């Protein structure tokens, strides 16, 4: 069965994933909106940057974050000046790393949903004298609801399963940075296979249920189908 | 007459070298990550001396152990601990009685900052740092030994909240060398300067053997390699004076 230490890692994992998802929605919504509407020549570059974690090995991201956020890295020096200390080995550092790592899973469904709305509802809202913010919240958000659901679910689920990045920048500290995927790895290395099974099987069931919910109950579409 | 003898000598030489080529084999070896540097050098010597070759796969001992259990085609296994080779022998995956200690591990308390760690390790009791890196004691031999040292010094519980744990000793070294952790417990081979035999950069305390139990790094011949002349030759070569000299040069103790 699950030990108290296992339950702590699960709780911590959901806290990191939850907080990261909220942040990704806040940051990702304007970004996705801009990417969906812009005709800027930088669009391609920005699209590529956002999608980078999809193809990049997590250890590459983790390696650079460890250096950038360390005492001699630019981010590390900035956070130290701000009185935050350095980010590796902290809960905050894990959240920052997770946001970077999972961002495409939030931005891409949103971008696809925004693009699918087209110009006409926006023009209609404008003729009714709705301001841009009003249009966004009264017209765009309701129309893009499936996109928001997909983004939330994928962003959260992907962060829960994160391994390479947290291994590189986390430091495996109980209650602070030891998330469930690292705990599974530890169980396997310590030859505690039955413990590993409980956690790994739990995560498998969780991931499947989440995707099942998304595809059948919520009837949203996978990212790949939405992106043209 | 002399021409004929020269011809026959050449013929014999040709046959001999053909023979050597026909018998040159390759072996696949799993090696604990702390032994990366010495093993690379030992294998270069091994290939020169025997004509056989060896392919090396580095990683944590536990990972290699799990892979061997799942049928990975390794023929020789150099673990950082005694535990895994013993398990493999018990489960019949290793050749019986082929286990031997190839090196004695040495632990160093190390910092990337020069002058930070004193040569007596007093900094552990004085404190003043935020992070202490070590390999995860739940499975990594270096982490187990590091905990023993701290327990011996009576600072284990005081320092525990400062722990940051690497998955293996190479990752632990990363944490310290990038200065994210001010100091940490690493292997001597990772920080030694082979020319001088001293710690190459930063500052460190080579921890005396009296503060922990013997750190016997153990190798074993796996059943998959029992018939491979290259695997057998490599196991022998690890005990040769050439190999022992390299092992010692990288700061490991020699098996007694």
């Amino acid at each position: 069965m699950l030990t108290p230490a296992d339950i702590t890692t699960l709780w911590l994992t959901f806290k990191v994933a939850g907080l990261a998802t909220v942040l990704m929605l806040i940051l990702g919504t304007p970004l996705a909106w801009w990417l969906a509407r812009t005709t800027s020549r930088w669009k391609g570059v920005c699209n590529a940057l956002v999608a980078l974690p999809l193809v990049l090995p997590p250890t590459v991201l983790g390696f650079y974050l460890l250096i950038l956020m360390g005492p001699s890295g630019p981010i590390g020096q900035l956070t130290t000046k701000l009185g935050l200390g350095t980010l590796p080995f902290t809960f905050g550092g894990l959240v920052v790393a997770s946001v970077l790592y999972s961002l495409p899973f939030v931005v891409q469904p949103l971008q696809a949903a925004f693009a699918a709305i087209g110009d006409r509802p926006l023009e209609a809202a404008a003729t009714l004298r709705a301001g841009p913010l009003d249009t966004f919240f009264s017209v765009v958000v309701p129309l893009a609801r499936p996109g928001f659901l997909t983004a939330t679910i994928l962003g959260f689920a992907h962060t829960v399963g994160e391994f390479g990045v947290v291994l590189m920048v986390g430091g495996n500290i109980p209650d602070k940075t030891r998330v469930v995927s690292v705990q599974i790895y530890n169980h396997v290395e310590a030859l505690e296979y039955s413990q590993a099974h409980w956690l790994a099987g739990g995560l498998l069931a969780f991931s499947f249920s989440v995707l099942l919910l998304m595809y059948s109950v919520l009837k949203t579409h996978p990212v790949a189908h939405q992106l043209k | 007459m002399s021409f004929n003898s020269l011809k026959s000598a050449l013929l014999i030489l040709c046959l001999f070298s053909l023979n050597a080529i026909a018998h040159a084999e390759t072996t696949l070896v799993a090696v604990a990550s702390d032994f990366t540097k010495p093993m690379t050098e030992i294998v270069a010597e091994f290939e020169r001396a025997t004509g056989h070759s060896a392919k090396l796969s580095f990683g944590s001992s536990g990972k290699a152990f799990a892979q061997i259990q799942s049928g990975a085609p390794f023929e020789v296994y150099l673990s950082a601990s005694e535990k895994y080779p013993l398990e493999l022998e018990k489960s019949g995956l290793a050749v019986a009685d082929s286990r031997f200690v190839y090196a004695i591990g040495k632990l160093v308390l190390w910092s990337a900052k020069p002058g930070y760690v004193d040569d007596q390790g007093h900094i552990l009791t004085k404190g003043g740092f935020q992070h202490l890196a070590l390999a995860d004691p739940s499975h990594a031999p270096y982490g187990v030994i590091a905990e023993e040292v701290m327990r011996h010094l009576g600072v284990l519980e005081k320092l525990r909240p400062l722990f940051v744990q690497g998955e293996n000793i190479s990752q632990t070294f990363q944490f310290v060398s990038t200065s994210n952790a001010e100091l940490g417990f690493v292997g001597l081979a990772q920080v030694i300067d082979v020319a001088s035999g001293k710690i190459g950069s930063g500052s460190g305390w080579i921890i005396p053997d009296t503060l922990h139990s013997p750190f016997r790094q153990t190798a074993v011949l796996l059943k998959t390699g029992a018939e491979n002349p290259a695997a057998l030759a490599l196991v022998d070569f690890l005990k040769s004076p050439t190999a022992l000299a390299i092992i010692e040069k990288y700061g490991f103790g020699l098996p007694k």
Side-chain angles (χ1 to χ4, degrees), chain A residues 60-79 86-88 100 169, chain B residues 178 180:
Chain A
V60 173
L61 193 60
F63 171 63
Y64 284 124
L65 284 177
L66 188 66
I67 292 174
L68 291 175
M69 305 196 307
S72 33
I75 303 176
Q77 285 178 345
L78 181 71
T79 52
T86 49
L87 287 173
L100 286 172
V169 303
Chain B
T178 56
N180 277 296

Coordinates of all heavy atoms in Angstrom, one line a residue, chain A residues 60-79 86-88 100 169, chain B residues 178 180:
Chain A
V60 N 17.5 18.5 -21.1 CA 18.1 19.6 -21.7 C 17.6 20.9 -21.0 O 18.3 21.8 -20.5 CB 17.9 19.7 -23.2 CG1 18.4 21.0 -23.7 CG2 18.5 18.5 -23.9
L61 N 16.3 20.9 -20.8 CA 15.6 22.1 -20.2 C 16.1 22.2 -18.7 O 16.5 23.2 -18.2 CB 14.1 21.9 -20.2 CG 13.2 23.0 -19.9 CD1 13.5 24.2 -20.8 CD2 11.8 22.6 -19.9
G62 N 16.1 21.0 -18.0 CA 16.6 21.0 -16.6 C 18.0 21.4 -16.5 O 18.3 22.2 -15.6
F63 N 18.8 21.0 -17.4 CA 20.3 21.3 -17.3 C 20.5 22.8 -17.4 O 21.1 23.5 -16.6 CB 21.0 20.6 -18.5 CG 22.4 21.0 -18.7 CD1 23.4 20.8 -17.7 CD2 22.8 21.6 -19.9 CE1 24.7 21.2 -17.9 CE2 24.1 21.9 -20.1 CZ 25.0 21.8 -19.1
Y64 N 19.8 23.5 -18.4 CA 19.9 24.9 -18.6 C 19.3 25.7 -17.5 O 19.8 26.7 -17.0 CB 19.4 25.4 -20.0 CG 20.4 25.0 -21.1 CD1 20.0 24.2 -22.2 CD2 21.7 25.4 -21.0 CE1 20.9 23.9 -23.2 CE2 22.6 25.1 -22.0 CZ 22.2 24.3 -23.1 OH 23.1 24.0 -24.0
L65 N 18.2 25.2 -17.0 CA 17.5 25.9 -15.8 C 18.4 25.8 -14.6 O 18.6 26.8 -13.9 CB 16.2 25.2 -15.5 CG 15.0 25.6 -16.5 CD1 13.8 24.8 -16.1 CD2 14.8 27.1 -16.4
L66 N 19.1 24.7 -14.4 CA 20.0 24.5 -13.3 C 21.1 25.6 -13.3 O 21.5 26.2 -12.3 CB 20.6 23.1 -13.2 CG 21.4 22.7 -12.0 CD1 20.5 22.7 -10.8 CD2 22.1 21.4 -12.2
I67 N 21.6 25.8 -14.5 CA 22.7 26.8 -14.7 C 22.2 28.2 -14.6 O 22.7 29.0 -13.9 CB 23.4 26.5 -16.0 CG1 24.2 25.2 -15.9 CG2 24.4 27.7 -16.4 CD1 24.9 24.7 -17.2
L68 N 21.1 28.5 -15.4 CA 20.5 29.8 -15.4 C 20.0 30.3 -14.1 O 20.1 31.4 -13.7 CB 19.4 29.9 -16.4 CG 19.7 29.8 -17.9 CD1 18.5 29.8 -18.8 CD2 20.6 31.0 -18.3
M69 N 19.4 29.4 -13.3 CA 18.8 29.7 -12.0 C 19.8 29.6 -10.9 O 19.5 30.0 -9.7 CB 17.6 28.9 -11.7 CG 16.5 28.9 -12.8 SD 14.9 28.3 -12.3 CE 15.2 26.7 -11.6
G70 N 21.0 29.1 -11.1 CA 22.0 29.0 -10.1 C 22.6 30.3 -9.7 O 22.4 31.3 -10.3
P71 N 23.5 30.3 -8.7 CA 24.1 31.5 -8.1 C 24.8 32.3 -9.1 O 24.9 33.6 -9.0 CB 25.0 31.0 -7.0 CG 24.7 29.6 -6.8 CD 24.0 29.1 -8.0
S72 N 25.4 31.7 -10.2 CA 26.1 32.5 -11.2 C 25.3 32.7 -12.5 O 25.8 33.4 -13.4 CB 27.5 31.9 -11.4 OG 27.5 30.5 -11.3
G73 N 24.1 32.2 -12.5 CA 23.3 32.4 -13.7 C 22.5 33.7 -13.7 O 22.3 34.2 -12.6
P74 N 22.1 34.2 -14.8 CA 21.4 35.5 -14.8 C 20.1 35.5 -14.0 O 19.8 36.4 -13.3 CB 21.1 35.8 -16.3 CG 21.4 34.5 -17.0 CD 22.3 33.7 -16.2
I75 N 19.3 34.4 -14.2 CA 18.1 34.4 -13.4 C 18.4 34.2 -11.9 O 17.7 34.9 -11.1 CB 17.2 33.2 -13.9 CG1 16.9 33.2 -15.4 CG2 15.9 33.1 -13.1 CD1 16.1 32.1 -15.9
G76 N 19.4 33.5 -11.6 CA 19.8 33.3 -10.2 C 20.2 34.6 -9.6 O 19.8 34.9 -8.4
Q77 N 20.9 35.4 -10.3 CA 21.4 36.7 -9.8 C 20.2 37.6 -9.6 O 20.2 38.4 -8.7 CB 22.5 37.3 -10.7 CG 23.8 36.5 -10.5 CD 24.9 37.0 -11.4 OE1 24.7 37.7 -12.4 NE2 26.1 36.6 -11.1
L78 N 19.3 37.6 -10.6 CA 18.1 38.4 -10.5 C 17.3 38.1 -9.2 O 16.9 38.9 -8.4 CB 17.2 38.3 -11.7 CG 16.0 39.1 -11.8 CD1 16.3 40.6 -12.0 CD2 15.1 38.7 -12.9
T79 N 17.0 36.7 -9.1 CA 16.2 36.3 -7.9 C 16.9 36.6 -6.6 O 16.2 36.9 -5.6 CB 15.8 34.8 -8.0 OG1 17.0 34.1 -8.2 CG2 14.8 34.6 -9.1
T86 N 18.1 31.6 -4.5 CA 18.1 31.0 -5.8 C 17.0 29.9 -5.9 O 16.5 29.4 -4.9 CB 19.5 30.2 -6.1 OG1 19.8 29.5 -4.9 CG2 20.6 31.2 -6.3
L87 N 16.5 29.6 -7.1 CA 15.4 28.8 -7.3 C 15.6 27.3 -7.2 O 14.6 26.6 -6.8 CB 14.7 29.2 -8.6 CG 13.9 30.5 -8.5 CD1 13.4 30.9 -9.9 CD2 12.8 30.5 -7.6
P88 N 16.7 26.7 -7.7 CA 16.8 25.3 -7.6 C 16.6 24.8 -6.2 O 17.0 25.5 -5.2 CB 18.2 25.0 -8.1 CG 18.6 26.1 -9.0 CD 17.9 27.3 -8.3
L100 N 7.4 26.3 -17.6 CA 8.1 26.3 -18.9 C 7.9 25.0 -19.7 O 7.8 25.0 -20.9 CB 9.6 26.6 -18.6 CG 10.0 28.0 -18.3 CD1 11.4 28.0 -17.8 CD2 9.8 28.9 -19.4
V169 N 16.5 19.9 -11.4 CA 16.5 21.1 -10.6 C 15.9 20.9 -9.2 O 16.0 21.8 -8.4 CB 15.8 22.3 -11.3 CG1 16.4 22.6 -12.6 CG2 14.3 22.1 -11.4
Chain B
T178 N 27.9 23.3 -10.1 CA 27.2 24.5 -10.6 C 27.0 25.5 -9.4 O 26.3 26.5 -9.6 CB 25.8 24.1 -11.2 OG1 25.1 23.4 -10.2 CG2 26.0 23.3 -12.4
N180 N 25.0 25.4 -7.1 CA 23.6 25.5 -6.5 C 23.6 25.0 -5.1 O 22.9 25.5 -4.3 CB 22.7 24.7 -7.4 CG 22.2 25.5 -8.6 OD1 21.5 26.6 -8.4 ND2 22.6 25.1 -9.8

